[in-house]
Structures are given as structure tokens and as C-alpha cells.
Amino acid sequence: MKRKVFLLLLVVCIIGTSLFAGGKQETARQSDKMELTFFFPVNVGGAVTKFVDKICNDWNELHPEAIVKPVYTGNYDDTIVKIQSAIQGKNPPDLFISLATQRFSMFVQDAVIFLDDFIAADGAEGQAYIDDFLTGFMEDSYVEGNIISIPFQRSTMILFYNKDAFREVGLDPNSPPKTWDELVEYSQKLTKVGPDGNVQRYGVGLALNSGSAQWGFTGFALQNSEHGENLMSEDGKQIYFDTPGNVEALQFWYDLQNKYKVMQPGIVQWTDLPGQFLSGKVAMIYHTTGNLGVVSEDANFEFGTAFLPGNKRQAAPTGGGNFYISKGISPERQKMAWEFIKFATSTERAAQWSIDTGYVATRKSALETPQMKEYYAKLPQARVAFDQIPISKPELTSYDSTRMWRILNDSIQSAITGEKTPAQALRDAQAEADQVMRKYQ
Amino acid sequence: MRAPNKIGRRIRLSQSAKAWILLAPTLFFLLLFTVYPILRSGYLSLHAFELGMREPEFIGFENYTRFAASELFWKVMRNTLLFSLMTVVPAFFIGLGFAMLVNKQRAKGIGFYRTSFFYPVMMPMIAIASIWLFMYMQESGMVDQFMLWMGRKPIAALSNRSTVLPALSVMYVWREAGYLMIFFLSGLQSLDPEIFEAALIDGSSPLRTFRKITLPLLAPTTLFVTITALTDSLKLVDHIVIMTEGAPNNASTLLLYYIYQHGFIFFDQAKASALTMVMLIIMLTISMGQFLNQDKKIYYN
């Protein structure tokens, strides 16, 4: 009996090892062929993975010596967790897409490389390549004066408005609100209260949930700043929450809900807004250009898009994901990853990507392509986002940015729910942020 | 005298070796997935280890003293305690009530009732949270639609700091009560029917029978159920991630979500470890305290 068991074990071991050896041989044979792992998130509606796969397949056909293997890693948050685990496990993906706001975190971890050498090596062509990106997007690619990432799936926040509702209340459907005052005035007209005293349609909708509020708030802070100051310094080491302009902006949000009563009270959810807009429950929403496709397909009314209304100035926040290249891999792999990035962000592809997904075309030259011209002619609403980029600034980005986001979102929520006054909320947020940022200064 | 002694020892030795071999697989996994992580968390909790640091840096108890001084930490602890109370107590009584209701062997359709009380347990928490998220949705959700139909104002349960925890609790009780019911049911069915017949013959009222006979005899089940329910209520994080992310302003942040936030959003492993140790101590206290205090008073049959 015992002997039988022993024999059986032996057989299993032998088979096991031979299989293992076989597997090893296989990988050894393939090692002259490079295989790059590429993590990418999807954060908007629609079949975006399909378009990423297509870019990779096209590359792989041209470059069988350096196959790029795309790995879908969930939304932005999931992707960050997966990248972090991979880095800590010393097995990073060769290249990945992550939020532009992650650049300081990537830098302090020593997880990614600067791209300046590659750009310099490409000579004049390299410089032209970088210069062709929209400045509003390129702005948040720098850490300590070096280029750390390349813009890819980039978006900005625009105003979607229901033209039919505008006509219904006697507003000109071709002149959306341009200022905060007009926003209040139009919203008041657009808000419709039923005979039972319940609101049937709100004038305006802004997302206030954690992870979204900071984005919209960046826009309002910029619109209310004297000289276009953002919520942070450009080096990501100073945070400016507690400024008079920001307090006014937060007060304005509070007033939209409580004083003018033109916005749904409570924590308005980012993901609910497009649905509410499409079903006519809200007449104007602040949302990402990434949802343009969904809105234009599903709207059974005429809709328009516009620049965000300004106050002291006109401004909007940018957001979205950039390409990064990992540090812990061989220079040959880094070189091929760079070639792939240039391939994926070429003028033609930047244009096609924008048309496929609703993201904003990242390059100036993309505007001149025939497909982009045709797209804008067919869907003029898409053009607004592109035109707004010159007055747009990066969203809240700093060292320890996820913590800063959380601090700001918590303080916005405490003001919205009436737990604290806007001034108190931002004062507390500033104190908390300063304490965290001290170690970087 | 010597020889048998030697043999005895050898037998004992070989017996204990056998025991160790039999235990080895369990021990291996216990060490790898329970003991090692606990030790590692304890070690990390005494260090600073943030994103970008190559090695943990020893800082003693600073992580703990920071939390002790943090308003937010105490808010989270208060939320956690409240959530446990608001879920365990109702789930306990409703579960017991369900069990009493369906504890009949021959009643018609009893299987249907048992199944319908139990089915929420079979659903993954993520699915439950997504469904209840829709029900609680502001103005368009079922709850608010009902309020509007009644001619009241919508509650917006998840955006209100005074309603968000109760709203999450209702959902959790809905699920947990069916789970606890199963334990109570098996406890009830293991009781000797003769005792109840005797009580009936002696003319004891149903309420008196329940209080004086059923409850005391159920004590071992009660102990188990209480501990399970308490630790379960602390072990849950899915619903927070799906439904609120701690909003508004951390009014629904529970300890486990707070740990998740430090570990996987801020990537501050040291602080997450310190919070994990706090969690561990609470869990151990619950199970140890209850076992030590009540074990003696319980009648096992």
C-alpha cells in the first residue's frame, strides 16, 4: 500500500517537473521576442477596451519583435491599486495609463522614468511632437521640470444644456449662461416646481460625491481667482484651500442648493447626472466630455454644450489619464514602450481616439485631420471641449494627491450638508492639508 | 520498570509526531495567512511607511498617538460602534423571531418561508448594495418615491449625515437576520421536545415557556450568534465602497473602510497596520470576553 502511494507520488513528481521544464524551454525560446505589458483603465461609458485593443493590434502587426499586451485593469482607482501592487511585487507593467494627478506619487516612489532623454534623442522631431500637445494638457506632465508622462485619454468639464427646456421657459437656446449670475438666473427660470410643491426639474446639476466634487470645485476655484491661481502650486508642494475666492465658490455651491434651490439637495452623484439630464429632470449639468457620445446618442431633445460659466474669469478643469513608462525594466523595453506611446498618440490616432471615445483630442494637429473636421461638422457640440482647453487648468494635483482629494471632498460635503460653514470647512481642510504637506516642503 | 517506560515514551512520541503531521497543513496556512500578517501588521504599525519610502522607519507608537488625537478617528470609531449596535440587536431579535416562526416541522409551505427569509444571505454583498443604492437614490429611488407618494418630503437617505448609518443598517439587518435565523433554527431543533410537552402539561403559558425554558436552553446558540453577528458587522466593507464612500463627510466611514482607505487609496501601509491592530484588539476582546464571562453560566446539553 505504502509503496503504491510512493510510486504514485513519484510519477506525479516526474510528470510535474517535465511539464515545468517544457514550459521553461518555451519561454526561453520566446525571449528574443519582447512582450510588453500595458495596464490601462477605463473610466467612461462605452466599449473603450475595444479601441485600446485595436491600437495594440495595429502596433503588434507592425512590430512583431515587441508585442504590446494590453491588460484592462478596471477604473482609475482599481488601476492605481494594481500598479502599486505590481511595483511592490517588483514586477511592474512596462507601461501604463494612470491619472495625470498621479505623477507626484509615481515620482516619489521612483516608479517611472523621465521621458526627456527620449525626446532629446528624437531631435527636432521630438520637440515638435511635444509642442504639438495642447498646453492645457501638457501642463500636468511635469515633475521638477522634467516630462514624466504623455497625455492620452484627456477630458475637460463642459456644460451640457437642454435647448428644448430653454425654449420652454423663454430663454434663447443659443446663448447658454456665461457667468455665475446668469447661471443662477437661468437656473431659476428652468427650475420647475409641481403643484404638490415638489421639484419636477432642477435648473442645474453638479456632482458632489467623493472623487468628483474636487474636479468641479477646481473649475469654480479657477473661475473665482483674481489671477487664475489654482488650488495648488505648480510644484505640487503647496495647497491653497482656504482663500477668500474659494470660500465664495463653496458658498455659491451651497446657495445653489439652499438659497436659490435650483439644484438637487444632498450629495449629488456623478454617475446619476447624465441619466437625470437625459430624462429631463435637470436642465443643465456640469459633466465630462467623455459622456458626449452617450448623451448625443440617447437625448430625445436638442442639447447644447458650452464653456463653463465664469465669474472673475472663464476657466475649466482638465482631467484624465496619461502614459507612463516603468523604471524597473530594461532600457530596450523602455525604448520600445516609448515607440509604442508615440504610435498610440500620433496625430491620426489622437483624432480617431477622440472620435471613438469622446475624449478631447490631445494634439493641435489632430484638428487638421479630415476625420476630425468631419466629426466636428457632424457633432458641433464636441468642438466646445477642444476650444475650452486653452483656458483650462489641471485639476487638484499634488504630492499625496489622493489624500488631498479626500480632504477637499470631505470639507465640501461638510459645507453642503450644513455641518460647517464654507469658511470653517475650508479652514479645517487647509490645516489638515498643511500638516500632510509639511514633509514635502 | 525501565523498558515499558521507554516504550511508552516512544508511543507517545510517535503519537505526537502523528498529531503534528496531521495538523501541519492547517498550521502552515494558519501561520502564513493569520499569524504572519498579524505579526507583520504589528511590526509595521510601529513604523512610518508611506508611498515613496524604501524601508519602514521606526517611530514607536506615533501612529497610535496620532490616531488617538485625531477627531476623525474617533468619529469613525463612533460610527462603527453605532453601526454594530444598530445592526446586531435588531438582526438578533428578528432572526430569533424568524426561527420561532418557521420552527414547525409539518406546517404547509414552511420550506418556502425558510427560503425566503434566508435568500438574502445567498446574495453577494456587492449585489445587495447596488440594489439598495437604487432604492435609496435621491428623489427617483423607491424610498423617496414612496415618501413623495405619501405627500412627504424625500429623505435622500444616503446624503444626510443623520440618516446614512440607519439606512445602511436597515439593509444589513435585512440580510443578516436570515443568516442568524439558521443558527437559531438549528438550536431550536436540537432541543428535546419532551421538555416542551412537560411544560404544556404543567400549564405553562407560551411566553413563560419561551422565557424560562427556550431562551436558557438556547444560550449556547445565543452566545455563538452574538459573537458571529458582532464580528460580521465589523468585517463588512463592500457596502460602504459601493454606496457612500464614507459620505457625507465621513458620516458613514466605518473602521474597515478607514483601513482600506489608508491601505489602498492613500497607500500608507503603516497607518493601515496601526488601524488593523486596533481592529484586531476589538475582535479579540469581543470573542475572548464573551467566552470567558459566559462560558460558565451556559448549560450545554
Side-chain angles (χ1 to χ4, degrees):
Chain A
M1 179 63 200
K2 258 187 188 167
R3 189 169 294 167
K4 270 187 186 163
V5 170
F6 178 75
L7 271 174
L8 190 71
L9 274 175
L10 198 69
V11 169
V12 168
C13 285
I14 290 169
I15 293 174
T17 30
S18 56
L19 278 178
F20 212 76
K24 266 210 164 144
Q25 267 173 8
E26 191 110 54
T27 41
R29 204 150 28 82
Q30 280 183 347
S31 73
D32 47 329
K33 252 193 189 175
M34 203 185 281
E35 192 179 273
L36 301 172
T37 310
F38 163 40
F39 282 10
F40 72 96
V42 173
N43 228 51
V44 293
V48 176
T49 48
K50 197 172 69 188
F51 304 121
V52 176
D53 287 346
K54 174 152 185 10
I55 296 175
C56 294
N57 287 338
D58 290 354
W59 162 270
N60 291 343
E61 265 170 36
L62 293 173
H63 298 273
E65 77 282 7
I67 298 287
V68 172
K69 203 177 76 190
V71 182
Y72 166 60
T73 42
N75 63 18
Y76 279 125
D77 290 346
D78 301 340
T79 300
I80 290 168
V81 173
K82 285 184 184 129
I83 292 168
Q84 290 294 349
S85 321
I87 291 171
Q88 279 166 17
K90 309 257 184 289
N91 186 23
D94 297 284
L95 73 162
F96 55 87
I97 292 171
S98 188
L99 287 167
T101 55
Q102 278 288 310
R103 67 187 185 279
F104 293 109
S105 302
M106 291 298 155
F107 171 67
V108 293
Q109 275 191 97
D110 212 15
V112 295
I113 54 168
F114 288 134
L115 306 173
D116 302 76
D117 290 346
F118 286 129
I119 297 161
D122 290 343
E125 203 184 304
Q127 194 53 46
Y129 169 68
I130 291 301
D131 290 344
D132 191 37
F133 283 100
L134 297 175
T135 327
F137 286 144
M138 205 56 213
E139 214 176 315
D140 50 4
S141 284
Y142 289 88
V143 169
E144 310 262 312
N146 303 291
I147 293 175
I148 201 165
S149 63
I150 296 295
F152 181 62
Q153 46 187 41
R154 299 305 299 270
S155 54
T156 181
M157 190 178 254
I158 52 175
L159 186 77
F160 292 81
Y161 68 100
N162 183 332
K163 288 192 175 181
D164 288 1
F166 267 54
R167 282 192 199 96
E168 181 194 314
V169 298
L171 288 167
D172 178 1
N174 293 317
S175 74
K178 286 183 190 58
T179 64
W180 289 7
D181 292 335
E182 280 180 8
L183 180 71
V184 172
E185 190 195 320
Y186 291 15
S187 297
Q188 281 172 326
K189 282 188 185 154
L190 289 161
T191 301
K192 200 161 71 179
V193 181
D196 54 354
N198 286 309
V199 178
Q200 288 172 343
R201 180 178 66 209
Y202 284 104
V204 65
L206 267 168
L208 298 174
N209 61 300
S210 224
S212 301
Q214 88 287 335
W215 201 38
F217 193 74
T218 303
F220 279 76
L222 288 166
Q223 289 150 16
N224 204 36
S225 64
E226 289 296 341
H227 310 287
E229 303 92 327
N230 208 329
L231 294 169
M232 69 285 170
S233 60
E234 257 175 41
D235 64 3
K237 296 177 180 177
Q238 301 278 347
I239 296 290
Y240 312 117
F241 288 156
D242 185 22
T243 68
N246 294 348
V247 173
E248 264 175 45
L250 189 51
Q251 182 69 47
F252 183 69
W253 279 19
Y254 181 85
D255 289 345
L256 285 177
Q257 287 188 315
N258 299 290
K259 186 171 155 195
Y260 310 119
K261 299 191 191 298
V262 294
M263 181 161 125
Q264 186 181 55
I267 312 296
V268 179
Q269 297 288 324
W270 172 259
T271 44
D272 294 349
L273 280 175
Q276 291 175 356
F277 179 68
L278 289 170
S279 64
K281 289 216 166 76
V282 55
M284 299 185 277
I285 58 168
Y286 283 66
H287 224 270
T288 172
T289 50
N291 269 318
L292 200 62
V294 179
V295 171
S296 66
E297 247 167 59
D298 295 346
N300 53 6
F301 51 83
E302 201 187 338
F303 79 98
T305 56
F307 280 16
L308 298 185
N311 195 37
K312 291 188 179 125
R313 61 183 55 249
Q314 287 232 290
T318 62
N322 286 11
F323 274 115
Y324 296 84
I325 299 179
S326 286
K327 193 163 225 172
I329 57 170
S330 70
E332 297 82 45
R333 300 177 79 90
Q334 288 171 342
K335 173 75 178 135
M336 287 321 283
W338 171 246
E339 292 301 327
F340 174 76
I341 290 173
K342 282 195 294 186
F343 175 82
T345 55
S346 68
T347 298
E348 298 288 313
R349 296 211 172 258
Q352 193 56 45
W353 176 252
S354 168
I355 295 164
D356 288 340
T357 61
Y359 282 113
V360 184
T362 48
R363 300 181 59 168
K364 293 166 198 159
S365 55
L367 201 59
E368 304 307 323
T369 58
Q371 71 251 51
M372 207 69 202
K373 282 180 177 156
E374 190 193 331
Y375 172 60
Y376 283 156
K378 216 166 60 188
L379 190 67
Q381 289 98 325
R383 174 79 200 227
V384 166
F386 189 89
D387 291 340
Q388 190 181 242
I389 301 305
I391 56 160
S392 301
K393 291 261 179 196
E395 66 178 320
L396 175 58
T397 315
S398 68
Y399 287 88
D400 237 333
S401 60
T402 49
R403 217 184 294 240
M404 290 307 117
W405 279 24
R406 183 74 196 194
I407 291 171
L408 180 59
N409 283 316
D410 284 349
S411 81
I412 289 171
Q413 290 177 355
S414 71
I416 292 299
T417 55
E419 197 177 337
K420 294 175 186 170
T421 64
Q424 185 65 45
L426 289 173
R427 199 154 50 231
D428 292 352
Q430 183 72 54
E432 213 180 317
D434 286 345
Q435 205 192 349
V436 177
M437 295 316 270
R438 205 171 297 146
K439 60 177 171 281
Y440 298 109
Q441 291 156 6
Chain B
M1 279 308 276
R2 256 184 181 174
N5 215 353
K6 224 176 184 177
I7 290 166
R9 201 181 296 156
R10 198 178 298 161
I11 288 172
R12 243 178 287 144
L13 209 71
S14 79
Q15 266 181 342
S16 71
K18 208 173 178 182
W20 279 111
I21 290 171
L22 288 174
L23 279 175
T26 317
L27 269 181
F28 173 74
F29 286 107
L30 210 62
L31 285 173
L32 192 65
F33 291 112
T34 308
V35 179
Y36 172 72
I38 290 176
L39 292 178
R40 176 79 182 162
S41 298
Y43 169 81
L44 271 181
S45 75
L46 302 175
H47 292 72
F49 193 34
E50 287 183 27
L51 212 57
M53 291 174 73
R54 294 238 166 268
E55 293 296 326
E57 180 191 317
F58 183 79
I59 51 165
F61 284 92
E62 203 182 306
N63 285 325
Y64 294 96
T65 52
R66 281 252 186 101
F67 278 124
S70 145
E71 238 175 83
L72 183 54
F73 172 77
W74 291 110
K75 187 176 186 176
V76 170
M77 295 309 281
R78 205 162 48 236
N79 289 343
T80 309
L81 180 71
L82 270 175
F83 184 74
S84 289
L85 283 179
M86 282 191 295
T87 53
V88 172
V89 177
F92 182 94
F93 286 107
I94 295 173
L96 182 58
F98 281 172
M100 300 292 288
L101 278 179
V102 298
N103 183 28
K104 294 187 180 84
Q105 295 298 352
R106 259 171 250 109
K108 224 177 174 183
I110 205 73
F112 171 75
Y113 287 111
R114 283 186 191 166
T115 314
S116 55
F117 289 152
F118 187 69
Y119 93 91
V121 183
M122 307 298 293
M123 285 168 74
M125 198 60 211
I126 302 248
I128 294 179
S130 309
I131 293 166
W132 283 72
L133 179 63
F134 278 110
M135 292 180 22
Y136 283 138
M137 202 187 247
Q138 197 160 330
E139 294 186 11
S140 45
M142 202 180 88
V143 176
D144 279 5
Q145 282 293 314
F146 181 72
M147 295 305 282
L148 287 170
W149 180 74
M150 297 269 288
R152 306 270 176 111
K153 285 226 158 303
I155 319 176
L158 296 182
S159 357
N160 218 311
R161 77 193 127 107
S162 54
T163 53
V164 62
L165 271 187
L168 293 176
S169 304
V170 169
M171 175 193 73
Y172 186 66
V173 167
W174 172 76
R175 176 186 194 243
E176 187 77 356
Y179 184 54
L180 300 186
M181 175 193 78
I182 290 298
F183 297 115
F184 281 124
L185 192 61
S186 79
L188 284 174
Q189 293 189 340
S190 69
L191 300 184
D192 189 351
E194 278 175 29
I195 303 173
F196 294 97
E197 279 165 27
L200 202 67
I201 290 164
D202 287 347
S204 161
S205 73
L207 191 69
R208 195 177 155 83
T209 309
F210 176 73
R211 268 185 40 220
K212 294 286 176 187
I213 300 177
T214 317
L215 267 190
L217 285 179
L218 269 184
T221 313
T222 312
L223 171 71
F224 175 76
V225 164
T226 316
I227 293 171
T228 310
L230 264 175
T231 47
D232 273 4
S233 76
L234 293 171
K235 279 193 311 208
L236 209 66
V237 72
D238 324 30
H239 59 317
I240 306 288
V241 176
I242 301 278
M243 296 173 77
T244 68
E245 297 184 302
N249 189 21
N250 293 308
S252 64
T253 304
L254 304 180
L255 183 54
L256 194 56
Y257 182 73
Y258 200 48
I259 294 176
Y260 165 79
Q261 200 181 36
H262 278 89
F264 295 102
I265 298 179
F266 303 158
F267 291 100
D268 189 333
Q269 293 186 32
K271 290 219 176 62
S273 298
L275 290 169
T276 306
M277 294 315 282
V278 173
M279 179 97 165
L280 185 74
I281 290 164
I282 295 174
M283 291 286 218
L284 283 179
T285 319
I286 292 170
S287 19
M288 300 276 280
Q290 297 235 13
F291 269 117
L292 293 179
N293 280 333
Q294 294 195 9
D295 224 11
K296 296 167 209 144
K297 298 176 202 157
I298 285 174
Y299 164 75
Y300 290 96
N301 51 346

